[in-house]
């Protein structure tokens, strides 16, 4: 059995569909998980889809992905802009990493313009709404099969 792709979501993304829908849309994280699951099946990939509001829990999943995961797609939420610890964990992961943001962070406050995770990610998708996860999954398919 091929190794799965870890799809990790950071703080407040459990409120997707409810918080600031004018920025993040009306789809829930469960909708996103279901859409990713369906696409992954089409692409012949397995996924582990997780969300946590806690930095250490996200880091534990990144560590788990070492050895157990083929790649990581991550929307670190606000930890994107603050967490050297998540960057360090990512640097200890050997497979491809893709970073996803639902909103276009570059069109927003300047503190959202810097991402620690981008120092590690092979690619970044921002501003494509929740479709960004599906685009990242397609790209991940190419990265893990090349
Ligand atoms: C986000 C953008 C971040 O700046 C923000 O803190 C989030 C969500 C996005 O998906 O657009 O929580 O990562």
């Amino acid at each position: 059995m091929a190794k799965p792709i870890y799809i990790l979501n950071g703080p407040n993304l459990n409120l997707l569909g409810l918080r600031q829908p004018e920025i993040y849309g009306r789809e829930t994280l469960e909708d996103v998980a279901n859409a990713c699951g369906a696409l992954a099946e089409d692409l012949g990939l397995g996924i582990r889809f997780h969300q946590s509001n806690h930095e250490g829990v996200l880091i534990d999943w990144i560590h788990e992905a070492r050895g157990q995961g083929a790649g990581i797609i991550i929307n670190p939420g606000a930890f994107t802009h603050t967490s050297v610890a998540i960057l360090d964990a990512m640097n200890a992961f050997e497979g491809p990493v893709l970073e996803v943001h639902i909103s276009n962070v570059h069109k927003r406050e300047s503190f959202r313009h810097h991402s620690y995770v981008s120092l590690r990610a092979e690619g970044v998708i921002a501003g494509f709404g929740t479709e960004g996860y599906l685009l990242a999954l397609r790209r991940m398919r190419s990265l893990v099969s090349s």
Side-chain angles (χ1 to χ4, degrees), residues 11 19 24 75 77-78 81 101-103 105 108 112:
R19 75 154 169 162
Y24 299 113
N75 181 349
H81 320 297
H101 300 286
I102 297 165
S103 65
V105 283
R108 300 180 65 191
R112 294 184 204 276

Side-chain angles (χ1 to χ4, degrees), residues 26-90:
R26 298 217 172 260
E27 260 194 306
T28 66
L29 197 64
E30 196 185 341
D31 295 331
V32 176
N34 290 338
C36 286
L39 177 63
E41 209 175 307
D42 286 353
L43 297 173
L45 295 172
I47 61 168
R48 299 272 183 280
F49 194 100
H50 296 300
Q51 186 274 333
S52 178
N53 295 323
H54 305 278
E55 193 175 18
V57 174
L58 292 162
I59 290 168
D60 287 343
W61 282 325
I62 296 164
H63 291 176
E64 182 186 295
R66 276 165 53 84
Q68 286 192 43
I72 298 177
I73 294 171
I74 185 165
N75 181 349
F79 291 146
T80 307
H81 320 297
T82 62
S83 182
V84 175
I86 288 180
L87 171 63
D88 284 351
M90 286 296 189

